[in-house]
Amino acid sequence: FSSVRLSRVKGSRPSEQSLRVQDSNRMSLMYTTPQSKQPSFGKLNIPKPQSGTSERRTSFFGPRTSGVGMPRNSTMSGFGGTEKIKDARPLHDKSYVQQCIRQLHEFLTEQGYPGTLSSKTLQSPSTKEFVKMFEFIYCQLDPTFEMPNSKVEEEVPALFKTLGYPFVLSKCSMYSVGAPHTWPQALGALMWLIDNVKVRNDIKSSMDWTLDRYRLKQSSHLFLDYTAETYSKFMQGDDTFEEEDEAFLVKLKKLYNVDEALLATMEEKHRILTDEVEKLEKESQTDRLMTKRMEKMKLQADLKKLQSYRASLDSFKDNLEKKDSELNAELETSVSHLETLKHERNELQHLLQNQKFTPADVERINREKRELQQTISSLTKSLENAEQHKWNEEIALAKVKEKAELKLAEYHKLARKLKLIPISAENACGHDFEIRPFECVAGSMVQCKTQIQMQLRKLVGDVEEENSRLTNMKLSLEESCEQVNSIITDKTNDLKQLREQIRKLDERLEGEKQELAREEQEWAAEMESVENHRKLLEKKVNYGYDESVQQLKAAQQQYHLVLQETNEERRTVANNLASVFTTAANHLSITEKCLEDLHSRVQRICSKAVEEDEAAIHKLQETLKDFMSKAKNV
């Protein structure tokens, strides 16, 4: 349709009135979604002329512009002025609306809509559900689209206008989408968007088919070049063609845009998924429910153990810190003692080298040496044990510190949720509720904890005070409500008194009616006398009546003349409308015939191209077979 529209813009137009009618009829056929009935030319709706200008829809994704780049206004000399496009779809027809709902449900189900769908929901959806459906359908056109969280009622009409939706979708209708007077217009907009998605998918499939044909031709050419190169080298005496094979594979990968890294990752994912499938198949052979129940019981037992372990963790942490300090002190003393022993050993060796000893001295020294060696070995073992104990204590301390950091992260998360962190938060009131455990010593940590607890208690007290104030306000409102009820009771009593007064007035009115009846009888007698007087006056008026009859006949003759002129003008207008409808119908038939001819020619060209490709492939296969047979014979 875009080619027909462009040719109509560039060509000459003999009649602007016929063009406007054709364009209006064509647009009404395009926007009828779905086409439940055939278009009836006898009921063509020609909109009334409107003052001002209005943008007209020409494409699915933007407003149409004329050859000079300015918006074109459709004018009509026969009816005068510009016009706004009216929606020709029967959106207020219940059967049409139900058909649109069915098609919407089918489309969302086929495309894998993540939300819950039901016919009752689609009869009157909420604004949130409508926005979810719109976002899902829009993502079919733009997968990167994300719906903003604020001002959704303004964003949805703006997006429809950006896409080129030809009809007005007001912002107010977005606040109550499921209402009976707004849901048909919103449903029509969704069906128009679904048509855009279908057209885009058709265009994409046709482009994929063209790309596949192009790749098939290119691969045929590459294979032919590869065969020619390998055959020429084969005739020269070569038996291996590793370079040609590698070059051919590189060209094929470049032609089909093969990503080797992606292939490797996909193979790894396939292997992982295969292992998971095998594991699930093995699990499916056993009773999965019993295994899950056993796992649940084990997890519950572990949870209880963890809770008990968590309860004793704080006290155990203090004990570990004390033990760590004691072990550090013991380790320092052991190291200092070891250093003194080494120093004594060096002194003794020095003395042994510089002095002469008797056998008794040598025996005594050897005995002391053995005792010292035993002492050194025992101290070394104790030192190793102390270092191992220190390592174990450090590991336990690291675990305790990690768990403390997790608890601290939970505390900070809860504080941010309650708007207590940072200092500028809403409920912080200028206080710092953040705990920094590794920036201070243990004493200041306890002081910080005490300060935060005091501030939290103060905050809780403020909340309770506000709660009590609201409770008092509620009590005062209840008292005022009771006062209003008492006032209503008083007014009810006053109403009863007024009703009693009305009853008395009704009785009085009945008596007055009886008196009026008697007066009417008297008036009837007077009317008889007046009637006689009227008859006398009627005789005198007959003379003026004859003159009035003659004037009436003259007015009737003038009326018939005016009526005849009006009928002639009406026939002229009817003939003009009939010519307009005939021109529109002829234009539509000619357009449909042109499109059918174009479609048949495209099909013939496509079939001819496919036959030529098949013949070329068959010829290449025969050539390859000849080459293979000649290679085997050689």
Side-chain angles (χ1 to χ4, degrees):
F1 290 101
S2 60
S3 61
V4 176
R5 196 177 295 119
L6 288 172
S7 63
R8 188 174 295 138
V9 171
K10 294 179 180 179
S12 61
R13 296 188 297 175
S15 175
E16 290 184 351
Q17 178 180 354
S18 60
L19 175 62
R20 192 199 66 80
V21 175
Q22 293 167 3
D23 196 16
S24 176
N25 190 10
R26 176 169 50 78
M27 285 189 296
S28 64
L29 291 173
M30 285 177 65
Y31 295 130
T32 303
T33 308
Q35 294 181 354
S36 58
K37 297 180 180 180
Q38 296 293 333
S40 176
F41 295 102
K43 296 182 179 180
L44 183 65
N45 184 15
I46 300 176
K48 296 181 180 180
Q50 302 288 337
S51 60
T53 60
S54 63
E55 183 182 351
R56 303 195 60 183
R57 169 207 169 290
T58 59
S59 66
F60 290 105
F61 300 103
R64 179 175 61 186
T65 57
S66 62
V68 295
M70 296 297 291
R72 187 182 70 180
N73 296 325
S74 175
T75 58
M76 184 182 70
S77 59
F79 296 91
T82 58
E83 60 172 350
K84 290 183 180 179
I85 300 174
K86 286 189 176 179
D87 197 347
R89 298 174 293 182
L91 294 176
H92 295 287
D93 188 1
K94 292 183 179 180
S95 61
Y96 178 79
V97 171
Q98 294 299 322
Q99 187 176 359
C100 291
I101 290 173
R102 286 194 297 271
Q103 291 191 1
L104 176 61
H105 186 273
E106 292 175 0
F107 177 81
L108 295 176
T109 305
E110 290 174 357
Q111 299 297 327
Y113 180 67
T116 56
L117 288 174
S118 63
S119 58
K120 186 176 180 181
T121 304
L122 295 178
Q123 294 295 330
S124 58
S126 62
T127 303
K128 186 177 180 181
E129 294 170 347
F130 175 79
V131 171
K132 285 184 178 179
M133 291 187 287
F134 170 77
E135 183 179 3
F136 177 76
I137 299 171
Y138 196 94
C139 286
Q140 305 296 320
L141 297 174
D142 184 6
T144 61
F145 172 73
E146 291 183 0
M147 198 69 188
N149 296 325
S150 61
K151 297 183 180 180
V152 177
E153 293 78 7
E154 297 179 1
E155 289 292 335
V156 172
L159 288 171
F160 271 110
K161 187 176 181 181
T162 304
L163 289 175
Y165 186 58
F167 310 116
V168 178
L169 193 65
S170 63
K171 298 177 183 178
C172 299
S173 62
M174 292 293 102
Y175 291 97
S176 58
V177 175
H181 63 282
T182 57
W183 172 231
Q185 283 77 15
L187 179 62
L190 288 179
M191 296 307 298
W192 178 84
L193 190 59
I194 288 173
D195 288 343
N196 287 342
V197 173
K198 292 179 179 178
V199 170
R200 181 243 189 192
N201 292 334
D202 293 339
I203 293 172
K204 186 177 180 182
S205 62
S206 64
M207 290 176 66
D208 292 339
W209 179 75
T210 306
L211 182 61
D212 292 338
R213 289 192 63 227
Y214 170 74
R215 286 177 176 173
L216 181 61
K217 288 184 179 179
Q218 292 295 324
S219 62
S220 301
H221 291 308
L222 290 175
F223 181 73
L224 186 59
D225 296 338
Y226 166 74
T227 307
E229 291 177 2
T230 53
Y231 183 71
S232 63
K233 288 195 174 184
F234 176 75
M235 295 302 292
Q236 292 175 4
D238 294 339
D239 292 331
T240 58
F241 314 102
E242 294 179 356
E243 294 180 359
E244 288 75 9
D245 293 342
E246 186 175 356
F248 180 64
L249 288 175
V250 169
K251 289 179 181 178
L252 284 179
K253 288 179 180 178
K254 185 176 180 181
L255 178 62
Y256 287 96
N257 296 325
V258 176
D259 191 354
E260 295 182 356
L262 181 61
L263 284 176
T265 55
M266 293 300 290
E267 288 177 357
E268 183 66 21
K269 288 182 180 178
H270 180 265
R271 185 183 62 77
I272 294 170
L273 291 174
T274 305
D275 295 338
E276 289 182 357
V277 169
E278 292 177 356
K279 183 178 178 181
L280 290 173
E281 288 178 353
K282 291 179 181 178
E283 289 180 355
S284 62
Q285 294 176 0
T286 60
D287 191 356
R288 296 180 64 186
L289 182 60
M290 291 299 296
T291 56
K292 294 296 181 183
R293 286 178 178 174
M294 294 297 293
E295 289 179 0
K296 181 181 178 182
M297 293 174 66
K298 290 179 181 179
L299 291 173
Q300 288 178 351
D302 293 339
L303 179 62
K304 291 180 180 178
K305 291 179 181 179
L306 287 173
Q307 288 176 351
S308 62
Y309 176 73
R310 182 182 175 184
S312 62
L313 189 60
D314 295 332
S315 60
F316 183 67
K317 179 182 176 183
D318 298 333
N319 294 329
L320 286 176
E321 290 177 353
K322 291 179 181 178
K323 288 180 180 180
D324 183 58
S325 61
E326 292 174 358
L327 288 172
N328 288 328
E330 186 178 355
L331 181 61
E332 290 176 357
T333 56
S334 299
V335 170
S336 61
H337 185 62
L338 181 62
E339 291 293 333
T340 56
L341 289 175
K342 286 181 179 179
H343 183 67
E344 290 177 359
R345 186 185 67 177
N346 293 329
E347 290 179 353
L348 291 173
Q349 286 180 354
H350 182 68
L351 291 173
L352 180 62
Q353 292 175 359
N354 296 328
Q355 293 180 2
K356 294 179 180 181
F357 298 98
T358 61
D361 293 332
V362 172
E363 186 179 356
R364 181 177 55 79
I365 289 170
N366 289 330
R367 187 173 60 252
E368 290 177 356
K369 180 181 179 181
R370 284 193 298 271
E371 291 176 357
L372 289 173
Q373 287 179 351
Q374 292 176 0
T375 305
I376 290 170
S377 61
S378 61
L379 289 174
T380 305
K381 289 181 181 179
S382 62
L383 179 61
E384 291 177 355
N385 293 329
E387 289 179 352
Q388 183 66 29
H389 187 64
K390 178 185 177 182
W391 174 252
N392 294 331
E393 293 297 332
E394 287 178 352
I395 292 173
L397 182 61
K399 292 181 180 179
V400 171
K401 188 181 292 184
E402 184 179 358
K403 292 180 180 179
E405 289 176 353
L406 291 175
K407 294 293 293 181
L408 186 61
E410 292 179 0
Y411 164 75
H412 286 166
K413 184 177 179 182
L414 182 60
R416 288 189 181 91
K417 189 175 181 181
L418 295 174
K419 297 181 180 179
L420 297 175
I421 296 176
I423 300 176
S424 60
E426 181 179 353
N427 297 328
C429 299
H431 300 295
D432 188 7
F433 290 95
E434 187 174 0
I435 298 175
R436 301 175 182 86
F438 304 110
E439 295 180 2
C440 54
V441 296
S444 59
M445 184 71 187
V446 174
Q447 184 179 1
C448 181
K449 180 180 178 182
T450 306
Q451 184 179 0
I452 290 174
Q453 286 179 352
M454 290 176 62
Q455 293 172 358
L456 288 175
R457 289 193 186 97
K458 183 179 179 182
L459 185 62
V460 170
D462 294 338
V463 172
E464 290 179 353
E465 183 179 354
E466 182 68 17
N467 190 14
S468 62
R469 187 180 66 80
L470 293 174
T471 305
N472 295 329
M473 187 183 293
K474 180 183 176 183
L475 294 174
S476 62
L477 290 174
E478 288 178 354
E479 291 177 358
S480 61
C481 184
E482 290 178 358
Q483 293 177 0
V484 170
N485 290 330
S486 63
I487 293 171
I488 290 172
T489 305
D490 297 336
K491 295 296 181 181
T492 304
N493 296 329
D494 295 338
L495 183 62
K496 289 181 181 179
Q497 294 178 0
L498 291 173
R499 286 177 180 175
E500 182 66 23
Q501 293 177 2
I502 290 170
R503 187 183 62 79
K504 293 179 181 179
L505 290 174
D506 288 337
E507 292 178 355
R508 183 178 176 183
L509 180 63
E510 188 67 26
E512 291 179 354
K513 284 182 179 180
Q514 293 177 0
E515 292 179 359
L516 288 173
R518 288 194 297 270
E519 291 178 357
E520 285 179 357
Q521 292 178 359
E522 295 176 357
W523 290 344
E526 292 180 359
M527 285 293 292
E528 289 180 359
S529 62
V530 171
E531 184 67 23
N532 295 327
H533 184 65
R534 184 188 64 78
K535 288 179 180 179
L536 294 174
L537 293 174
E538 191 176 22
K539 291 179 181 179
K540 297 179 181 179
V541 171
N542 285 332
Y543 177 76
Y545 173 75
D546 294 332
E547 293 180 356
S548 299
V549 168
Q550 292 178 359
Q551 293 177 359
L552 178 62
K553 287 180 180 180
Q556 287 177 352
Q557 290 177 359
Q558 187 177 1
Y559 168 76
H560 287 302
L561 291 174
V562 173
L563 182 62
Q564 187 175 1
E565 292 176 358
T566 304
N567 291 329
E568 289 177 358
E569 290 179 357
R570 187 178 298 172
R571 281 193 297 272
T572 303
V573 172
N575 292 330
N576 291 334
L577 289 175
S579 64
V580 168
F581 294 157
T582 305
T583 305
N586 292 333
H587 176 70
L588 284 175
S589 62
I590 291 168
T591 304
E592 290 176 356
K593 186 175 180 181
C594 291
L595 290 174
E596 289 176 357
D597 294 339
L598 181 60
H599 183 65
S600 61
R601 277 187 288 171
V602 170
Q603 284 184 346
R604 285 197 299 272
I605 291 169
C606 292
S607 61
K608 186 176 179 181
V610 171
E611 290 175 357
E612 290 176 357
D613 292 339
E614 290 178 354
I617 292 169
H618 184 66
K619 187 176 180 180
L620 287 173
Q621 290 177 353
E622 290 178 353
T623 306
L624 180 61
K625 289 179 180 178
D626 293 338
F627 287 157
M628 294 296 291
S629 61
K630 289 178 181 180
K632 289 179 180 178
N633 293 329
V634 172

